[in-house]
Amino acid sequence: MALTHNLGFPRIGAQRELKFALESYWKGQSSRDELLAVGARLRQRHWADQAGLNLVPVGDFSFYDQVLDMSFTLGNLPARVRGFHGDALDNYFRVARGKSAQTADAHAHCCGGAHSAQHADDGVQAGEMTKWFDTNYHYIVPEFDADTTFKLDAARLLAQLDEARAQGIQAKPVLVGPVTYLALGKAKDGSNKLDLLPRLLMAYTELLDTLAAQGVEWVQVDEPLLVTELDKHPDHDWQHAYKAAYHQLKSCRVKLLLATYFGPLQENAYLAANLPVAGLHIDAITGRDDVLPVLNLLPAHKVLSLGVVNGRNIWKTDLNATLDWLEPLSARLGDRLWIAPSCSLLHVPVDLTQEQKLDPEIKSWLAFALQKLDELAVLGRALNEGRDAVQQALAANQAALAARRASPRVHKPAVQAAVAQITDHLGRRQSPYVERAPRQAALLRLPLYPTTTIGSFPQTAEIRQVRSEFKAGRIDASSYRAAMQAEIARSVREQEALGLDLLVHGEAERNDMVEYFGEQLEGYAFSQFGWVQSYGSRCVKPPILFGDIRRPKAMTVEWIVYAQSLTTKPMKGMLTGPVTILNWSFVRDDQPRADSCRQLALAIREEVLDLEQAGVRVIQIDEAALREGLPLRKSQWRSYLDWAVESFRVTANGVRDDTQIHTHMCYSEFNDIIAAIAAMDADVITIETSRSDMELLDAFDDFKYPNEIGPGVYDIHTPNIPTREQIITLMRKAAQRIPPERLWVNPDCGLKTRQWAEVIPALTHMVAAARTLRAEQRIAA
Ligand code: GLN
Ligand code: ZN
């Protein structure tokens, strides 16, 4: 009998109930009890949805983040919130958000999700947030120091266990495993985190014993760290930590299912297979090639759980093909085979049946969390009772997949032919930067230390209002266009008054930097409710890239040309790059990511050339998410960077020498990828640096970045307004590493989440700082 189980369920709710309950509680508009009741209702519904499984996850529900929950369970609270006498839930939110209950942060996400930033606070500093492995989910980083102690508080988990059991659920508590927990945390005092392992294991032992005392049989311990390169940390012996940890936990009277996901185990297969636990889960979507080697290593008493339904994407599983592969394994493993989604379903939307507007043909190819559980049930029955028992479901699945494979909406021979014809030549500028730069300078006539912004100006309530009225059909296209043109005119006026050198149109017409392009490209579909949690109450709705990409017509030219008509200063054309569009979408599973990226590159290239044709002299192509796409394993970086850089080059480099190409990236950890960034050969790159005091420019010490660069001098993630002096200081630091002739002065990122009342003084200071620097330079010369 193959068992079915799930690793985790999305908790935000099919209608984002949790989001709204949290935000209302934070605003003081609802009570703690009301919030708790929403949580209980969601758990109850989600368990009911999973009741057909043999084992159902418990403890995967969270009011903010499962890693933060683990910190509270382990009693690992940052010192600054210990001794808080108020409500424990409020204290939890203080760590999560820097405040307990107050305004929900108006900090709309740039960068597709959250920033790995400390958010603003009202007295207590929020925990740092960072990406959960290679997903767009962000967790709150556990904090450690040499004196960290742990003190078990199992109340939350035990209460949920009781609830689940009262509902008749076969509960399997879920924990973040001890080694992954340590590895994801940060030693604030620079001490060695691994020194804490013995103390940490005492808390885990106590927790597992507590669960055993409740009669729990299986506990899932998530150790996705096992799919990363454990031997690449010179001062941390994670392999040893794994052995020590699981040898100690072996004495507990529960069975442990060690859950790994997000990639193959590869060289860690031996370690993972031989840890003294009762079962091992591996991601059989990304790690299919691992399965046989692991099986051969696995001691004969152990359960092998195979993640055969993709927990990271929204396509239907090929059930027959999966069965072809699984049946021999099932014959070999018998009761020792479990099947599950590849990872927690946290990373997919909840329910496809809610989608009313999605094209029915495309919809028939998709599966969200609930549909994935249905697939799992079909697979389980087919293994246990034979395929005949689920013949109808298999036939329907096969028909849907066959239709997708044959659909002319997916396959456009002309697009594929164009991709096949991409050559190096397509991605190469006519002349090298040193020859282009003087031509551009002659045309643009910019001063030293030219000032510019990253693209967007504040997305005011009025802009959002007009857009929603337009979408709802209450105003027509020409009124919408007029309203957007008025916003563009306003931002041009403001920029002229500020004295900025290179202007932007302000992106008023864009709701989101990826969605805006996705909506205009063929090959993209949009869901109504396809929300995925990004952090806390924030969700993103990634567009669905389903077919070969074609650009039916120009997407931005009209707006930029209009903006240019309002000023004699140069106007930047503003585009999102192919890698970023790809990384923030649900992508096709029927062709390599690289091929989808190249198709996007060709489509955006057409836009670049149309802008140039229309007289736009400077074109910025944002690659905010290029770094995010880096594979978990460094050994795979090269191949990703090769096609990512190639795609950017194809997009950007078909222009004339005197057209200036800019790119923008929302981070500046460049040390390890700077050669790839340079290979993109943009004339100017703007990056985020202000918060780190330009220290992040360290990358530019060893590697001489050859082109122009604008290190951000205005941290747009906070309402703080930098002074002229602060900006001068930052730019002086930058000038120690990069020759002033190649420096630009600009904010860290787009200004859409800020208010005009903040933007005006900040940019006034920025322009004043640039003028001072210019004057100094003249005196020196
Ligand atoms: N051009 C975009 C903007 O200014 C860039 C946003 C981003 O990098 N996340 O909004
Ligand atoms: Zn940015």
Side-chain angles (χ1 to χ4, degrees):
M1 263 286 284
L3 227 91
T4 55
H5 74 118
N6 187 18
L7 274 63
F9 195 85
R11 55 233 178 189
I12 203 75
Q15 303 280 342
R16 287 182 295 161
E17 292 89 333
L18 183 59
K19 171 193 177 67
F20 300 119
L22 283 168
E23 290 175 359
S24 139
Y25 175 69
W26 292 335
K27 281 187 207 139
Q29 291 167 353
S30 62
S31 69
R32 178 182 186 279
D33 285 348
E34 285 168 304
L35 175 61
L36 296 181
V38 171
R41 270 204 304 281
L42 286 170
R43 287 193 295 274
Q44 186 184 37
R45 190 205 300 160
H46 297 158
W47 285 327
D49 288 334
Q50 300 175 82
L53 300 170
N54 297 108
L55 284 171
V56 176
V58 167
D60 55 334
F61 177 86
S62 174
F63 277 115
Y64 203 96
D65 163 44
Q66 74 272 11
V67 180
L68 184 61
D69 286 1
M70 203 63 220
S71 290
F72 273 70
T73 300
L74 295 166
N76 180 28
L77 279 57
R80 62 185 179 278
V81 305
R82 270 179 241 148
F84 177 72
H85 292 299
D87 179 71
L89 184 65
D90 275 337
N91 206 24
Y92 170 87
F93 289 136
R94 291 171 81 219
V95 185
R97 321 167 53 235
K99 50 198 162 199
S100 42
Q102 223 195 34
T103 47
D105 50 357
H107 202 99
H109 59 283
C110 62
C111 314
H115 248 270
S116 47
Q118 319 246 322
H119 7 166
D121 78 47
D122 61 357
V124 40
Q125 191 185 28
E128 194 180 314
M129 227 175 0
T130 195
K131 277 158 63 74
W132 174 245
F133 295 86
D134 59 353
T135 72
N136 192 26
Y137 176 80
H138 300 71
Y139 68 92
I140 306 281
V141 178
E143 297 176 30
F144 304 119
D145 59 44
D147 299 324
T148 297
T149 54
F150 302 95
K151 186 172 180 306
L152 180 67
D153 175 2
R156 171 192 60 92
L157 197 56
L158 294 179
Q160 294 185 16
L161 186 61
D162 282 349
E163 275 175 39
R165 286 174 160 177
Q167 208 178 315
I169 290 300
Q170 288 297 320
K172 176 192 57 178
V174 178
L175 310 174
V176 180
V179 184
T180 294
Y181 179 78
L182 258 193
L184 294 184
K186 206 171 185 172
K188 292 277 170 181
D189 58 353
S191 60
N192 187 352
K193 296 185 277 188
L194 278 176
D195 292 344
L196 301 174
L197 188 61
R199 271 178 256 169
L200 179 65
L201 290 174
M202 277 163 56
Y204 270 86
T205 304
E206 197 185 338
L207 175 57
L208 293 176
D209 283 338
T210 307
L211 293 171
Q214 297 294 315
V216 167
E217 185 186 4
W218 281 95
V219 176
Q220 172 185 322
V221 277
D222 286 1
E223 291 283 9
L225 186 72
L226 279 165
V227 308
T228 66
E229 286 154 329
L230 295 179
D231 49 0
K232 294 279 155 65
H233 309 266
D235 33 286
H236 287 113
D237 188 347
W238 294 111
Q239 272 138 339
H240 181 260
Y242 268 111
K243 289 181 206 151
Y246 287 90
H247 276 90
Q248 168 140 356
L249 299 181
K250 167 171 90 175
S251 63
C252 300
R253 286 166 298 119
V254 286
K255 294 181 184 160
L256 298 183
L257 177 73
L258 188 76
T260 68
Y261 40 81
F262 300 152
L265 290 165
Q266 292 186 0
E267 75 283 2
N268 300 325
Y270 183 84
L271 173 69
N274 287 294
L275 291 173
V277 291
L280 174 67
H281 171 87
I282 58 183
D283 181 335
I285 300 292
T286 53
R288 172 125 343 164
D289 296 342
D290 260 7
V291 173
L292 280 180
V294 168
L295 190 53
N296 293 331
L297 292 168
L298 202 70
H301 61 275
K302 275 194 195 180
V303 160
L304 182 62
S305 164
L306 295 178
V308 290
V309 171
N310 195 336
R312 293 280 294 273
N313 214 332
I314 40 65
W315 304 103
K316 275 192 172 142
T317 307
D318 186 337
L319 296 177
N320 277 312
T322 305
L323 286 170
D324 290 344
W325 178 74
L326 269 179
E327 277 162 351
L329 295 172
S330 175
R332 185 165 160 191
L333 284 159
D335 285 348
R336 291 167 54 215
L337 175 66
W338 292 11
I339 57 171
S342 57
C343 59
S344 167
L345 296 174
L346 181 64
H347 312 290
V348 291
V350 179
D351 184 7
L352 183 68
T353 62
Q354 290 192 105
E355 299 294 331
Q356 299 303 324
K357 297 198 181 145
L358 202 57
D359 180 289
E361 186 185 359
I362 293 164
K363 190 172 163 184
S364 73
W365 305 334
L366 304 179
F368 291 178
L370 289 176
Q371 291 69 40
K372 286 173 185 286
L373 292 176
D374 292 342
E375 293 184 336
L376 193 66
V378 172
L379 291 171
R381 274 192 72 188
L383 290 179
N384 295 330
E385 299 167 31
R387 294 197 202 193
D388 284 349
V390 285
Q391 204 226 325
Q392 271 192 348
L394 293 181
N397 174 265
Q398 193 162 22
L401 293 176
R404 180 179 166 208
R405 272 193 288 268
S407 171
R409 301 177 62 187
V410 176
H411 307 282
K412 302 198 183 91
V415 175
Q416 286 161 16
V419 167
Q421 275 158 26
I422 292 178
T423 56
D424 272 5
H425 170 76
L426 212 56
R428 213 176 305 127
R429 293 289 293 261
Q430 286 162 7
S431 313
Y433 166 78
V434 283
E435 290 169 31
R436 303 189 307 256
R439 290 179 200 151
Q440 293 163 15
L443 206 64
L444 295 171
R445 306 178 151 280
L446 295 167
L448 195 67
Y449 289 108
T451 54
T452 191
T453 61
I454 307 304
S456 56
F457 273 103
Q459 281 268 331
T460 59
E462 298 80 69
I463 297 179
R464 287 198 299 267
Q465 171 82 19
V466 173
R467 185 163 20 256
S468 70
E469 305 225 322
F470 177 50
K471 286 211 161 161
R474 287 194 291 274
I475 59 171
D476 64 10
S478 70
S479 326
Y480 178 71
R481 187 175 337 107
M484 292 302 124
Q485 286 188 341
E487 287 296 336
I488 291 171
R490 172 189 186 176
S491 63
V492 172
R493 248 187 347 262
E494 297 287 8
Q495 293 173 84
E496 289 201 315
L498 285 161
L500 287 156
D501 301 307
L502 174 60
L503 309 197
V504 298
H505 79 295
E507 302 182 22
E509 80 289 3
R510 301 185 191 176
N511 38 350
D512 175 276
M513 62 188 283
V514 170
E515 197 170 310
Y516 179 79
F517 293 94
E519 278 175 345
Q520 301 186 70
L521 291 168
E522 277 175 20
Y524 260 104
F526 290 82
S527 66
Q528 276 170 284
F529 303 103
W531 297 101
V532 178
Q533 193 174 9
S534 170
Y535 69 100
S537 67
R538 311 293 312 209
C539 301
V540 293
K541 192 153 58 84
I544 299 167
L545 199 174
F546 68 87
D548 290 339
I549 291 292
R550 221 177 62 87
R551 187 196 71 143
K553 59 176 177 26
M555 303 181 281
T556 64
V557 176
E558 193 195 325
W559 302 116
I560 308 296
V561 167
Y562 173 72
Q564 181 69 81
S565 75
L566 303 173
T567 177
T568 53
K569 293 221 169 156
M571 176 66 56
K572 265 198 280 194
M574 199 58 60
L575 303 171
T576 303
V579 187
T580 298
I581 296 182
L582 184 87
N583 283 344
W584 286 343
S585 303
F586 281 122
V587 296
R588 293 170 64 172
D589 62 350
D590 58 349
Q591 69 181 23
R593 292 175 82 82
D595 289 353
S596 297
C597 198
R598 291 186 183 105
Q599 293 185 358
L600 286 163
L602 288 175
I604 310 289
R605 175 187 171 95
E606 289 176 13
E607 188 73 15
V608 169
L609 298 178
D610 277 355
L611 283 169
E612 181 180 61
Q613 187 70 40
V616 180
R617 298 273 68 89
V618 183
I619 300 168
Q620 176 172 316
I621 304 161
D622 291 329
E623 284 292 17
L626 187 124
R627 196 175 205 295
E628 278 183 26
L630 283 172
L632 286 174
R633 286 174 181 270
K634 257 205 160 133
S635 56
Q636 289 159 9
W637 282 21
R638 185 70 268 150
S639 97
Y640 165 77
L641 287 170
D642 280 351
W643 60 254
V645 169
E646 180 204 18
S647 296
F648 182 89
R649 292 176 60 108
V650 166
T651 306
N653 290 351
V655 296
R656 295 198 310 260
D657 280 348
D658 57 10
T659 297
Q660 188 171 68
I661 295 288
H662 288 221
T663 188
H664 164 71
M665 299 183 181
C666 295
Y667 47 81
S668 59
E669 303 117 71
F670 282 129
N671 279 298
D672 39 13
I673 56 167
I674 189 146
I677 305 279
M680 290 162 65
D681 199 20
D683 297 298
V684 182
I685 180 171
T686 57
I687 59 177
E688 176 180 328
T689 31
S690 70
R691 215 173 348 175
S692 74
D693 222 18
M694 298 283 153
E695 261 167 34
L696 292 166
L697 290 184
D698 285 354
F700 296 82
D701 279 347
D702 301 332
F703 183 94
K704 295 291 163 229
Y705 185 75
N707 303 359
E708 290 158 54
I709 175 159
V713 290
Y714 166 20
D715 177 5
I716 58 90
H717 303 98
T718 78
N720 301 340
I721 292 159
T723 63
R724 189 186 68 111
E725 290 67 31
Q726 284 167 336
I727 295 174
I728 292 174
T729 308
L730 286 171
M731 287 307 300
R732 284 203 183 115
K733 283 196 179 174
Q736 286 165 8
R737 291 170 160 108
I738 295 139
E741 317 77 70
R742 288 200 265 121
L743 276 174
W744 286 67
V745 185
N746 48 260
D748 273 338
C749 192
L751 301 166
K752 73 177 188 182
T753 61
R754 300 262 59 94
Q755 315 278 320
W756 277 107
E758 298 155 358
V759 163
I760 298 286
L763 295 181
T764 303
H765 298 164
M766 194 181 91
V767 170
R771 287 186 178 143
T772 305
L773 292 163
R774 272 170 218 156
E776 283 176 5
Q777 199 75 23
R778 267 196 301 274
I779 293 164

